[in-house]
Amino acid sequence: MIEAGSPAPLGATPDNDGTNFALYSEVAQRVELCLFDSADAREETVCVPLKEQTDLVWHCYLPDVRPGQLYGYR
């Protein structure tokens, strides 16, 4: 389940229950958070469209995402 999360701090911030993701962009019209199973993966395992935006920061919270998760933005 994707939650709204927080616009601060920027980056990926884990806690005991999951990870908050926050990305600043002045020009993005949409952002997707892509999760990968390994550094060698050719495609993402999951791609999550970020729907929350606060003061030019796109953000979401993903329960159960732990430190070490490989990710990128598109």
Side-chain angles (χ1 to χ4, degrees):
M1 178 180 187
I2 303 163
E3 299 176 18
S6 172
L10 294 177
T13 306
D15 63 20
N16 290 335
D17 299 316
T19 301
N20 189 76
F21 293 90
L23 174 74
Y24 175 86
S25 176
E26 291 185 23
V27 297
Q29 295 180 0
R30 66 180 233 180
V31 174
E32 295 175 319
L33 171 65
C34 302
L35 305 179
F36 297 86
D37 283 341
S38 73
D40 298 337
R42 292 186 172 267
E43 294 184 15
E44 67 272 2
T45 306
V46 175
C47 197
V48 178
L50 300 188
K51 299 186 185 225
E52 300 295 326
Q53 184 184 19
T54 304
D55 297 327
L56 302 177
V57 177
W58 297 81
H59 52 91
C60 77
Y61 181 85
L62 297 178
D64 299 323
V65 171
R66 301 287 175 226
Q69 173 67 58
L70 300 173
Y71 70 95
Y73 294 102
R74 176 174 40 218

